[in-house]
Amino acid sequence: MTVTEPTTDVLVVGGGVAGLTAATFTARAELDTLVLNDGESILRRNAHLENVPGFPAGVNPRLFADLLTEQAERNGVVIESARVAAIEPGDDDPWIDVRTAAGDSRRARYVVAASWSDASYLPAGVDRRTAGSKTFVDEDGVGRTSVAGLYAAGRLAETYHQAVVAAGHGAQVGITLVHDSDTPFYHDWVTPEGYFTDRGREVPPGCEEIGPAEQRRRQAASRELMRERFAEPHRERQRTHPSLVGDEKGRVDEAWEIEGS
């Protein structure tokens, strides 16, 4: 397949916890990152998340998913709605061709497969394992598959079925990809002013020093955003397993008895 445009550094298949987390890390390393997402993450089917670090009383899973999306976009990730039908590594160049079910084509230097456990769109050279109705992709422990430039993250890589595990694996795969791309990168880390420079060191790639004024500004912005996002109950209707319902995807139901009502 001959494709010339559009191109991106990183293309992530799947906008769930693992995919959005991987995308956030690659985008923060200044790699152009595109997420192609089809349908809704299973995260949104949860009634309440009780085991995610940092939320002592739990958190609405649909709000949590919204926050993941907003975080990715604030860091430069482009998210589009599309179903990926096929991934084809180039024969004579390092680029990977990605074709959607609508017939659109994209070209990426790296691809992160972070969809549900369906590997039908992946190239034949990817090592995989079938378990009942699910197919999992073999990776080397940090996301690399048997096809150069192609990574697997989250449930597709047979990680545990928990949001925090998916997030951790997505972060790990994103950082692996950044290192493999030869992008200068030491640590995605914001430190207080002087943390490195007062010791006679240059600020490493991927790190940032900020002074007290900027620290206060960022903390105030964080508090304001979280107050706003948590001020009202989430309006998205709670849904259950797709085999049990036939309602429209993402439908807002004003009559739904949401939290706090």
Side-chain angles (χ1 to χ4, degrees), residues 35-83:
V35 172
L36 297 183
N37 186 46
D38 176 60
E40 67 176 359
S41 168
I42 194 170
L43 171 68
R44 292 183 180 272
R45 299 276 179 174
N46 283 259
H48 197 63
L49 291 180
E50 299 281 353
N51 54 8
V52 175
F55 295 93
V59 61
N60 180 299
R62 288 157 294 287
L63 174 58
F64 185 68
D66 289 348
L67 292 171
L68 289 174
T69 300
E70 182 173 358
Q71 183 179 26
E73 292 178 331
R74 285 168 66 97
N75 283 284
V77 177
V78 176
I79 302 174
E80 297 181 4
S81 178
R83 182 177 183 81

Side-chain angles (χ1 to χ4, degrees), residues 67-214:
L67 292 171
L68 289 174
T69 300
E70 182 173 358
Q71 183 179 26
E73 292 178 331
R74 285 168 66 97
N75 283 284
V77 177
V78 176
I79 302 174
E80 297 181 4
S81 178
R83 182 177 183 81
V84 172
I87 291 176
E88 301 175 9
D91 295 328
D92 55 358
D93 60 45
W95 292 86
I96 298 175
D97 297 327
V98 178
R99 179 168 49 82
T100 71
D104 299 323
S105 297
R106 309 295 176 95
R107 173 166 275 202
R109 179 63 188 87
Y110 304 96
V111 171
V112 178
S115 60
W116 183 238
S117 49
D118 171 16
S120 61
Y121 62 91
L122 297 177
V126 173
D127 294 335
R128 62 195 83 192
R129 183 182 76 82
T130 300
S133 62
K134 298 178 176 61
T135 302
F136 300 107
V137 172
D138 291 335
E139 45 90 23
D140 67 351
V142 289
R144 301 182 189 94
T145 73
S146 51
V147 172
L150 178 62
Y151 300 76
R155 191 60 181 150
L156 185 63
E158 205 172 358
T159 60
Y160 289 117
H161 202 358
Q162 298 291 332
V164 65
V165 176
H169 194 246
Q172 184 178 47
V173 172
I175 292 172
T176 298
L177 190 159
V178 170
H179 284 301
D180 289 351
S181 72
D182 292 327
T183 299
F185 183 84
Y186 168 69
H187 205 329
D188 190 337
W189 194 7
V190 180
T191 69
E193 188 175 38
Y195 188 92
F196 294 103
T197 53
D198 284 355
R199 294 182 289 142
R201 295 183 55 188
E202 293 185 359
V203 179
C207 297
E208 181 184 9
E209 286 186 353
I210 60 174
E214 176 62 12

